[in-house]
Amino acid sequence: MSTQRHYEREFVRTFFTSPTAVKGEEDSAKMIRSAAQLRGMQAPDTWIPDNEDATAPSMRDEGVQNIIEVVSEHGADFPGEIHPRVVWHREDPSTRYQGFQQMLEIADPDNGAVENIDGFVIPEVGGIDDWKKADEFFTIVENEHGLDEGSLAMSVIIESGESELGMGRLRAEMGKPDNNLERMFLLVDGEVDYTKDMRAITPTGGLPPWPELRHNTSRAASAAGLVAVDGPYDDIRDVEGYNERMKNNQAKGMLGIWSLTPNQVVEANTSPLPPKTGSWLLEVGGEDVELDSVDGNEVYDGNGVGLEETDDGTYVLRVGGEEHELDEDELREELLDMTSYIPSMDDIVDSMEEFEAAKEAGRGAIAMTQAATLEIDGVEVEVSNDRMWDEATYQAAMTPIALFQDVYENRPDQHDELAEMYGADVVERAMQVGSV
Amino acid sequence: MSTQRHYEREFVRTFFTSPTAVKGEEDSAKMIRSAAQLRGMQAPDTWIPDNEDATAPSMRDEGVQNIIEVVSEHGADFPGEIHPRVVWHREDPSTRYQGFQQMLEIADPDNGAVENIDGFVIPEVGGIDDWKKADEFFTIVENEHGLDEGSLAMSVIIESGESELGMGRLRAEMGKPDNNLERMFLLVDGEVDYTKDMRAITPTGGLPPWPELRHNTSRAASAAGLVAVDGPYDDIRDVEGYNERMKNNQAKGMLGIWSLTPNQVVEANTSPLPPKTGSWLLEVGGEDVELDSVDGNEVYDGNGVGLEETDDGTYVLRVGGEEHELDEDELREELLDMTSYIPSMDDIVDSMEEFEAAKEAGRGAIAMTQAATLEIDGVEVEVSNDRMWDEATYQAAMTPIALFQDVYENRPDQHDELAEMYGADVVERAMQVGSV
Amino acid sequence: MSTQRHYEREFVRTFFTSPTAVKGEEDSAKMIRSAAQLRGMQAPDTWIPDNEDATAPSMRDEGVQNIIEVVSEHGADFPGEIHPRVVWHREDPSTRYQGFQQMLEIADPDNGAVENIDGFVIPEVGGIDDWKKADEFFTIVENEHGLDEGSLAMSVIIESGESELGMGRLRAEMGKPDNNLERMFLLVDGEVDYTKDMRAITPTGGLPPWPELRHNTSRAASAAGLVAVDGPYDDIRDVEGYNERMKNNQAKGMLGIWSLTPNQVVEANTSPLPPKTGSWLLEVGGEDVELDSVDGNEVYDGNGVGLEETDDGTYVLRVGGEEHELDEDELREELLDMTSYIPSMDDIVDSMEEFEAAKEAGRGAIAMTQAATLEIDGVEVEVSNDRMWDEATYQAAMTPIALFQDVYENRPDQHDELAEMYGADVVERAMQVGSV
């Protein structure tokens, strides 16, 4: 049971924007022409031919024609959804009217693109009443072109305080007879313009992290049955930073993110999926360090934690400059507190299968054990990590699996890469689990 | 002056759940039968016979009968309030109807339990209109059974985005003629299901910290005159982690927490009370380390901070690998910045009495001094910490004292333990203070 | 384009409160008399003769007369705006009526002060309907005294959960025919009373950081075209802590802060302005350390990071106890990740001028380079930091410049100090930029 969604895909990992018309190129549609031909992990779940900020104002009329041409030619074969971004501004009626005209033209069936257009992205929205103006234009476009009412999805970019507040009212407004806001699909944060609108200042000029905005976006998506997407990560060379951001977002329930390049698409398509292999973490100085698996041991070879066995069989554990004398049991307990385990896809599927079997046998809770031999400064210690699984644990573990299943069903072009990543057997079992 | 509360107790430290019917036991009511007989610090402020998630679906009819039987027998002597949790789901009318029937049966005066039932806990609520459906069932139950309208308190578990948003509207809805939402009592976070509803993913499967949810719950409670309670802390062996979480919650104004065992109840009943003895903290590497009181000195014996007196009477202070040469005054100022003091119950009562006397003498602000001899690497330094107290400081210091007074008035079964903890004299003075 | 503001100044850095009547002084108006004569960086953008908490209840009638006397005499020459704080409480009609009477008296044209009174500050407001009660009193005061409706600005102190929620509704209520809430000006957090209202407890009695409150205040200000101001920082000796707090606030878009002393006013007037000179930061152990500029090198002389060149031309970089062997390119990349640059006012103006020129030449994005020679343990490494500037970067960089321009236009009394700080040339260029 979950809040009813009005669109097909339950999850969206990637929101990839491309300029619709580039000046000075022989083929001004070059960028969207190549984007439209991406496949597999390089192809996004949602592709956004961007006729707003990524395209110069003077090129946007040509951008509209380029979208029509490229989507007509390549749209049917594109593996993700296609949602062009048009222009819009809560404070400028002439921009809003241009946005309306762009939608009207792109969606004209005579132009041949609309059957592969899934919806439009509206930037710079204001309060909820401004969303309704955009929604009304969608309705008029659908009506003028004989399309089903509500068939074009509407996504918005949250880049102002008033639109952040507007999200909180969305659930109460959807379903009212005077709008068609059931067409809502993605709530996308746009932190660059949001930072400007909030008039925030940082010493280096970097973007503030805006944790509350992301929470509120994720919450609004959850409450209204929509999908939350984080904004662009500008430093495209910083793959580690992009992944850190996604991990932080996922802990907020924000599972999608903007991508600026096919390489970012690959990272973002992969990030929310469980890893191929599990790994042990050791907390060192407030941070989790991944241990190396060597000959069956999980090895820590840094200097932040030290371990020594004394002659009388006790241990000296050094953590952050403090030394602790411990007997074997105390050592094991201490290390257990300092370690955690990131389960692999295989581990998760195993645990879920085991819990499903237990449930069928009438048991409501079972203990799952994860054991390892830790090695610190050459000293080996066995630890084992018990976790109780009940229905709630099982349901929570289901989120990454449900996402995987959604990806697998909707993205046949990624089957080969997924099978290569996990092995065909794990993929098959992951597709079975959870149907009990 | 504060927002009007419609219930008796002003503070709730503990929310202790027990399964109402356990399969395979000779006495399926075993768990609630033993919970009902808890006393003193092991007994919670609110006890929740849990006929929802803690009890298997097939056992819930029996659970209802067990609640009736156990509360009839032991309810009158139970020192806390009793609020059974019934089933409910914002997306399933059949579950809601079951919840209604459970309440109707438990509250039937012919069954003998209702006079010791203080209210019911409704899980899995949705937006505010869903809360009103539950409220309406309370009203019907009260009407059918000849109980006063509003006499049964309603508490809810926040475990979805829409209910988080609903909290923000509660204050505006209470008091409207078509509902009896003045019956609201506890706002309880349920992070496991909330995490599922928000579709959040963490690598290890652990719960995200959800700071915004806890802030919003505390704020909604404050705005509507209710009590905020945090969700369960699953790792029942991790006493330190449970206490850390409570400290974090208390800084948000969320003074109550779920407890899963009598040991957790003891911890949670104790946590928001001021400590018996004060203690000095030294900031070492970004963390506060509690100093040891030895022979009147406050001693730091770790390696994170070092101190040496040179021949010419200056000092070398080593902090995180950096050395600072300081004269005595500079050293004292530096150490003052690095230290802080946690006042004891006795200290707080002292300061409040002193401020009350000053106020009576017509003074609006006085300085309170806290002095100590710090000892680092054998070097002794006197520091003293001045703090201005004005009316606002006094009022803020009142919160833990008001909580203590509320506990003392409402929980005679804890008098002995409190007197043992603080000494009879401090208890008596703590009960006098603040009445000026 | 931005949300329409109904007041003159776009930015407010400082909110300086002074007691209106001090007991036991020969001149009870002493404090406001001296505050009224502050000039330059010591004078606040908004000055608040405080007839509420800073003044004893028994002195508040005299406080009203003192305000009238001092503002009549000095108000015309005061360089900032003047907004007295009157009494108010959401839960006490008699306090509200007193607040109304205080406003009526202070704003009486016969008393000679009102032409230099810009508005009033209302503390302890409740939900939005309580704000409307205060707004109605402003309207009556204006009407009784023949002032233009809306000419007196209203600012509020957020010190309860219900007023935090009220902020979220402000935008939807402004402009309704039955109120004059367009008079709203400042949203000011009052964390001491907020902490009390939220019933938060910290072990040392210190204030919780309340990040969500500050976000919500900044967001509400942004959504309604108002200015967000943080509450008082009590530890007036702790200049570093006050600046840290302001930096944290600025990253939330909260650019103003309460000041308790002229020294705090200087700090707060300066903090949001770009620095005179740029500086390089090195991330050491999770914190950014500012490097020393020595003979054209940026020098790190701590122990947290170490660097050594080996005989074969490779490098050993030591970070947090871990050693990394790197060739020159890897070293440069690693150090680039660890460094960041805080641009000076001159740097920002340079970049904006460069971008404006590029835009005029038809280019939408250009790379800005910042280069430096880092020196660690005597080893020198050249790093250079490229950043792409597009329209959005330019707009975001505009915030501190727009603030500077607003200050410069509205505060002629600070011209000399600003010219001394930046040099006349930089000031002049900063006043030109952004008008393209």
Side-chain angles (χ1 to χ4, degrees):
Chain A
M1 242 171 326
S2 71
T3 301
Q4 197 189 346
R5 297 172 196 280
H6 297 267
Y7 46 84
E8 210 172 323
R9 292 205 55 172
E10 206 183 328
F11 294 90
V12 169
R13 297 164 294 173
T14 35
F15 178 95
F16 176 54
T17 49
S18 318
T20 57
V22 185
K23 215 175 186 165
E25 299 284 341
E26 202 171 328
D27 172 17
S28 76
K30 183 182 156 180
M31 298 293 282
I32 51 171
R33 205 180 301 281
S34 84
Q37 297 174 68
L38 293 170
R39 296 293 181 273
M41 294 306 270
Q42 287 205 319
D45 289 342
T46 59
W47 173 46
I48 318 302
D50 183 0
N51 210 43
E52 198 223 13
D53 277 2
T55 300
S58 62
M59 298 298 286
R60 288 176 188 163
D61 287 343
E62 195 168 331
V64 167
Q65 297 311 317
N66 286 345
I67 293 171
I68 290 168
E69 184 204 323
V70 171
V71 173
S72 297
E73 187 180 350
H74 297 287
D77 298 325
F78 187 73
E81 295 195 0
I82 304 177
H83 298 256
R85 174 158 79 159
V86 298
V87 299
W88 191 266
H89 204 290
R90 60 194 174 281
E91 287 167 355
D92 184 8
S94 104
T95 304
R96 295 196 294 270
Y97 183 48
Q98 286 167 36
F100 170 49
Q101 289 172 306
Q102 292 176 5
M103 290 196 285
L104 202 55
E105 176 75 5
I106 295 169
D108 187 339
D110 292 346
N111 290 330
V114 69
E115 58 191 293
N116 294 306
I117 297 287
D118 297 283
F120 292 100
V121 176
I122 309 296
E124 294 287 2
V125 287
I128 193 74
D129 284 350
D130 188 58
W131 304 32
K132 292 179 188 168
K133 300 174 195 168
D135 165 56
E136 169 67 357
F137 287 150
F138 277 76
T139 301
I140 291 175
V141 166
E142 287 162 345
N143 182 64
E144 286 303 301
H145 292 325
L147 305 169
D148 288 345
E149 212 164 87
S151 60
L152 290 170
M154 172 170 152
S155 300
V156 296
I157 317 280
I158 305 300
E159 34 199 339
S160 64
E162 50 262 48
S163 58
E164 187 186 348
L165 286 166
M167 290 193 294
R169 295 183 55 199
L170 181 58
R171 187 174 194 271
E173 296 292 335
M174 283 169 78
K176 287 191 175 170
D178 282 334
N179 70 54
N180 286 308
L181 284 172
E182 296 93 329
R183 67 170 79 253
M184 286 298 306
F185 178 35
L186 305 177
L187 298 174
V188 185
D189 285 344
E191 279 95 351
V192 174
D193 280 350
Y194 180 82
T195 298
K196 184 185 66 173
D197 185 76
M198 291 283 279
R199 311 200 300 180
I201 298 175
T202 60
T204 61
L207 288 177
W210 300 120
E212 296 90 358
L213 169 66
R214 289 180 284 143
H215 174 76
N216 292 340
T217 304
S218 181
R219 177 182 63 177
S222 178
L226 309 180
V227 176
V229 175
D230 194 18
Y233 192 85
D234 275 340
D235 189 349
I236 58 176
R237 296 169 324 167
D238 181 10
V239 177
E240 197 184 334
Y242 191 52
N243 275 286
E244 272 304 305
R245 176 67 167 214
M246 288 190 278
K247 204 165 78 174
N248 188 289
N249 286 342
Q250 287 154 16
K252 290 172 168 291
M254 179 176 252
L255 302 184
I257 194 167
W258 201 304
S259 297
L260 295 168
T261 66
N263 285 344
Q264 281 197 337
V265 172
V266 173
E267 294 297 322
N269 274 341
T270 311
S271 172
L273 295 171
K276 156 74 180 157
T277 51
S279 53
W280 285 85
L281 306 177
L282 183 70
E283 199 192 317
V284 181
E287 298 211 357
D288 284 329
V289 175
E290 190 177 326
L291 302 181
D292 292 325
S293 282
V294 181
D295 301 334
N297 285 4
E298 304 299 323
V299 180
Y300 175 69
D301 63 0
N303 300 315
V305 171
L307 183 59
E308 204 181 326
E309 190 170 359
T310 63
D311 292 341
D312 59 354
T314 65
Y315 294 84
V316 177
L317 180 70
R318 189 178 41 73
V319 178
E322 315 275 326
E323 297 197 339
H324 308 272
E325 276 202 15
L326 305 167
D327 68 25
E328 197 172 340
D329 283 351
E330 291 167 338
L331 175 67
R332 199 166 279 146
E333 187 146 336
E334 189 63 33
L335 288 176
L336 197 56
D337 282 351
M338 295 169 63
T339 49
S340 51
Y341 181 69
I342 299 180
S344 66
M345 171 72 98
D346 196 9
D347 292 326
I348 297 174
V349 171
D350 267 354
S351 299
M352 293 183 71
E353 287 173 346
E354 208 175 313
F355 181 78
E356 288 174 359
K359 200 159 61 170
E360 278 203 325
R363 294 164 61 202
I366 55 171
M368 304 283 182
T369 301
Q370 197 65 43
T373 304
L374 303 185
E375 184 182 326
I376 301 173
D377 295 343
V379 181
E380 298 186 349
V381 189
E382 310 281 331
V383 296
S384 86
N385 192 356
D386 269 11
R387 195 173 168 205
M388 285 306 297
W389 271 59
D390 61 11
E391 184 65 27
T393 330
Y394 173 79
Q395 292 290 344
M398 190 65 208
T399 299
I401 299 299
L403 181 143
F404 173 82
Q405 293 174 347
D406 191 60
V407 166
Y408 200 82
E409 275 159 27
N410 288 285
R411 294 296 303 271
D413 63 312
Q414 295 187 347
H415 283 190
D416 288 352
E417 282 160 292
L418 292 172
E420 202 178 312
M421 196 189 306
Y422 293 118
D425 168 62
V426 171
V427 167
E428 193 180 327
R429 288 165 52 224
M431 292 303 293
Q432 296 302 322
V433 89
S435 48
V436 180
Chain B
M1 241 171 330
S2 72
T3 301
Q4 198 190 344
R5 297 171 196 280
H6 297 267
Y7 46 85
E8 212 173 321
R9 294 208 53 174
E10 205 183 329
F11 293 91
V12 170
R13 296 166 294 173
T14 34
F15 178 95
F16 175 54
T17 48
S18 317
T20 56
V22 186
K23 216 177 189 163
E25 299 284 340
E26 202 172 326
D27 172 17
S28 76
K30 184 183 157 181
M31 299 291 282
I32 52 170
R33 204 180 301 278
S34 83
Q37 298 174 66
L38 293 171
R39 295 293 180 274
M41 295 304 271
Q42 287 205 321
D45 288 342
T46 59
W47 173 45
I48 319 302
D50 183 359
N51 209 43
E52 197 223 13
D53 278 1
T55 300
S58 62
M59 299 297 287
R60 289 176 187 162
D61 287 344
E62 194 169 332
V64 167
Q65 297 311 316
N66 286 346
I67 293 172
I68 290 169
E69 183 203 325
V70 170
V71 173
S72 298
E73 185 179 349
H74 297 286
D77 298 325
F78 188 74
E81 295 195 358
I82 304 177
H83 297 256
R85 173 157 80 161
V86 298
V87 299
W88 190 267
H89 204 290
R90 60 196 174 279
E91 287 167 356
D92 184 8
S94 105
T95 304
R96 295 197 294 270
Y97 184 48
Q98 286 166 36
F100 171 49
Q101 290 172 305
Q102 292 176 6
M103 290 195 285
L104 202 55
E105 175 74 6
I106 294 169
D108 188 338
D110 293 345
N111 290 331
V114 71
E115 59 190 292
N116 294 307
I117 296 288
D118 296 283
F120 292 100
V121 176
I122 309 294
E124 295 286 3
V125 287
I128 192 74
D129 284 350
D130 188 56
W131 304 32
K132 293 178 187 168
K133 299 175 196 169
D135 165 57
E136 169 67 356
F137 287 151
F138 278 75
T139 301
I140 291 175
V141 166
E142 287 162 344
N143 181 64
E144 287 302 303
H145 292 326
L147 305 169
D148 287 346
E149 214 164 85
S151 60
L152 291 169
M154 172 169 152
S155 301
V156 297
I157 317 280
I158 305 300
E159 35 201 338
S160 65
E162 50 263 47
S163 58
E164 187 186 349
L165 287 166
M167 290 193 294
R169 295 183 55 199
L170 181 58
R171 189 176 191 271
E173 296 292 334
M174 282 169 79
K176 288 193 174 167
D178 282 334
N179 69 55
N180 286 307
L181 282 172
E182 296 92 330
R183 67 170 80 251
M184 286 298 307
F185 177 36
L186 305 176
L187 299 175
V188 185
D189 286 344
E191 279 95 350
V192 174
D193 279 350
Y194 180 82
T195 298
K196 183 185 68 174
D197 186 76
M198 291 283 279
R199 309 200 301 181
I201 297 175
T202 60
T204 60
L207 287 178
W210 300 118
E212 296 90 358
L213 169 66
R214 288 180 286 143
H215 175 76
N216 292 340
T217 304
S218 180
R219 177 181 65 178
S222 177
L226 310 181
V227 175
V229 175
D230 194 19
Y233 192 85
D234 274 340
D235 189 348
I236 57 174
R237 295 170 324 166
D238 182 10
V239 176
E240 198 185 335
Y242 190 52
N243 275 286
E244 272 305 305
R245 176 65 168 217
M246 287 189 278
K247 204 165 79 175
N248 188 288
N249 286 342
Q250 288 155 14
K252 290 172 168 290
M254 179 176 252
L255 303 184
I257 194 167
W258 202 303
S259 297
L260 295 168
T261 66
N263 285 343
Q264 281 196 337
V265 172
V266 173
E267 294 298 323
N269 274 340
T270 312
S271 173
L273 295 172
K276 155 75 179 158
T277 52
S279 53
W280 284 86
L281 304 177
L282 182 70
E283 199 193 316
V284 181
E287 299 212 355
D288 284 328
V289 175
E290 191 178 326
L291 302 181
D292 292 325
S293 282
V294 181
D295 300 335
N297 285 3
E298 304 298 324
V299 181
Y300 175 69
D301 63 359
N303 301 313
V305 170
L307 182 59
E308 203 181 328
E309 191 170 359
T310 64
D311 292 340
D312 58 356
T314 64
Y315 295 84
V316 177
L317 180 71
R318 188 178 41 73
V319 179
E322 315 276 324
E323 296 196 341
H324 307 274
E325 274 203 13
L326 304 168
D327 67 26
E328 198 173 339
D329 283 351
E330 292 168 339
L331 175 66
R332 202 165 276 148
E333 187 146 337
E334 188 64 33
L335 287 177
L336 197 56
D337 282 352
M338 293 168 65
T339 48
S340 51
Y341 182 69
I342 299 181
S344 65
M345 171 72 97
D346 196 11
D347 293 326
I348 298 174
V349 171
D350 267 354
S351 300
M352 293 184 72
E353 286 172 346
E354 208 176 314
F355 182 77
E356 288 174 2
K359 201 160 60 171
E360 277 202 326
R363 295 163 60 201
I366 56 171
M368 305 283 184
T369 302
Q370 197 66 44
T373 305
L374 302 184
E375 184 182 325
I376 302 173
D377 293 344
V379 182
E380 297 185 350
V381 189
E382 310 281 330
V383 297
S384 85
N385 192 356
D386 270 11
R387 196 174 167 205
M388 285 307 296
W389 270 59
D390 61 10
E391 184 65 27
T393 330
Y394 173 78
Q395 292 290 345
M398 190 64 210
T399 299
I401 299 300
L403 181 142
F404 173 81
Q405 293 174 346
D406 192 60
V407 166
Y408 200 81
E409 275 158 27
N410 289 284
R411 295 294 304 269
D413 62 313
Q414 296 186 348
H415 284 190
D416 288 351
E417 282 161 294
L418 292 172
E420 201 179 315
M421 199 189 303
Y422 293 118
D425 168 62
V426 171
V427 166
E428 194 181 325
R429 288 164 54 223
M431 290 304 293
Q432 296 301 324
V433 92
S435 47
V436 180
Chain C
M1 240 172 327
S2 70
T3 302
Q4 198 190 346
R5 297 172 197 281
H6 297 266
Y7 45 87
E8 211 172 321
R9 292 206 55 173
E10 206 183 327
F11 293 90
V12 169
R13 297 165 292 173
T14 34
F15 178 96
F16 175 54
T17 48
S18 317
T20 57
V22 184
K23 216 177 188 164
E25 299 284 343
E26 204 172 326
D27 172 16
S28 77
K30 184 183 155 179
M31 298 292 283
I32 52 171
R33 205 180 302 278
S34 83
Q37 298 175 65
L38 294 170
R39 296 292 180 273
M41 295 305 270
Q42 286 205 322
D45 289 342
T46 59
W47 173 46
I48 319 301
D50 184 359
N51 210 44
E52 197 223 13
D53 278 1
T55 299
S58 62
M59 299 297 287
R60 288 176 189 162
D61 288 343
E62 195 169 330
V64 166
Q65 297 310 317
N66 286 345
I67 294 172
I68 289 168
E69 184 204 324
V70 171
V71 174
S72 298
E73 185 180 349
H74 298 287
D77 298 326
F78 188 75
E81 296 196 0
I82 304 177
H83 297 255
R85 174 158 77 159
V86 297
V87 299
W88 190 267
H89 204 291
R90 60 196 174 280
E91 287 167 356
D92 183 9
S94 106
T95 304
R96 295 196 294 271
Y97 183 49
Q98 286 166 37
F100 170 49
Q101 289 172 306
Q102 293 176 5
M103 291 196 285
L104 201 55
E105 175 75 5
I106 295 169
D108 187 338
D110 293 345
N111 290 329
V114 70
E115 58 190 293
N116 294 307
I117 296 288
D118 296 284
F120 291 99
V121 176
I122 309 295
E124 295 287 3
V125 288
I128 192 74
D129 284 351
D130 187 57
W131 304 31
K132 292 179 190 169
K133 299 174 195 169
D135 165 57
E136 169 67 358
F137 287 150
F138 278 76
T139 301
I140 291 175
V141 165
E142 287 161 344
N143 181 64
E144 287 301 303
H145 292 326
L147 306 168
D148 287 346
E149 213 165 86
S151 60
L152 291 169
M154 172 171 151
S155 300
V156 297
I157 318 280
I158 305 299
E159 33 201 340
S160 64
E162 49 262 48
S163 57
E164 187 185 348
L165 286 166
M167 292 192 294
R169 296 183 54 199
L170 181 58
R171 187 176 194 271
E173 296 293 333
M174 282 169 80
K176 287 192 175 170
D178 283 332
N179 68 54
N180 285 308
L181 283 171
E182 297 92 330
R183 68 170 78 253
M184 285 300 305
F185 178 34
L186 305 176
L187 298 175
V188 185
D189 286 342
E191 280 94 350
V192 174
D193 279 350
Y194 180 82
T195 298
K196 183 184 69 174
D197 185 76
M198 291 283 278
R199 312 200 300 180
I201 298 175
T202 61
T204 62
L207 288 177
W210 300 119
E212 296 90 357
L213 169 67
R214 289 180 285 144
H215 174 76
N216 292 340
T217 304
S218 181
R219 177 182 65 177
S222 177
L226 309 181
V227 175
V229 175
D230 195 17
Y233 191 84
D234 275 339
D235 189 349
I236 58 176
R237 297 168 323 168
D238 181 10
V239 176
E240 198 185 333
Y242 190 53
N243 275 287
E244 272 303 305
R245 176 66 168 217
M246 288 189 279
K247 205 165 80 174
N248 188 288
N249 286 341
Q250 288 154 15
K252 290 172 168 292
M254 178 177 255
L255 302 184
I257 193 167
W258 202 304
S259 297
L260 295 168
T261 66
N263 284 343
Q264 281 196 339
V265 172
V266 173
E267 295 298 322
N269 274 341
T270 312
S271 172
L273 295 171
K276 155 76 179 156
T277 50
S279 54
W280 284 86
L281 304 178
L282 183 69
E283 198 193 317
V284 180
E287 300 211 356
D288 283 329
V289 175
E290 190 177 327
L291 302 181
D292 292 325
S293 281
V294 182
D295 301 333
N297 284 5
E298 305 298 325
V299 180
Y300 174 70
D301 62 1
N303 300 313
V305 170
L307 182 59
E308 204 182 327
E309 190 170 359
T310 63
D311 292 340
D312 58 355
T314 63
Y315 295 84
V316 176
L317 180 70
R318 188 177 41 75
V319 179
E322 315 276 325
E323 297 195 341
H324 307 273
E325 277 202 14
L326 304 167
D327 68 26
E328 198 173 339
D329 284 350
E330 291 167 338
L331 175 67
R332 200 166 277 146
E333 186 146 339
E334 187 66 30
L335 287 177
L336 198 56
D337 282 352
M338 293 169 65
T339 49
S340 51
Y341 181 69
I342 298 181
S344 66
M345 171 73 98
D346 196 12
D347 292 326
I348 298 175
V349 171
D350 267 354
S351 299
M352 293 183 72
E353 287 173 346
E354 208 175 313
F355 182 77
E356 287 174 1
K359 201 160 60 170
E360 279 205 325
R363 294 163 61 201
I366 57 171
M368 305 283 182
T369 301
Q370 197 66 44
T373 305
L374 303 184
E375 184 182 327
I376 301 173
D377 293 345
V379 181
E380 297 186 349
V381 189
E382 311 280 331
V383 297
S384 84
N385 191 356
D386 271 10
R387 194 172 168 206
M388 284 307 295
W389 270 58
D390 60 12
E391 184 65 28
T393 330
Y394 173 78
Q395 292 290 345
M398 191 63 208
T399 299
I401 299 300
L403 181 142
F404 174 81
Q405 294 174 345
D406 191 59
V407 166
Y408 200 82
E409 277 158 27
N410 288 285
R411 295 294 305 271
D413 63 313
Q414 296 187 346
H415 284 189
D416 288 352
E417 282 161 294
L418 292 172
E420 202 179 312
M421 198 189 305
Y422 293 118
D425 169 61
V426 171
V427 167
E428 194 181 326
R429 288 164 54 222
M431 290 304 295
Q432 297 301 324
V433 90
S435 47
V436 180

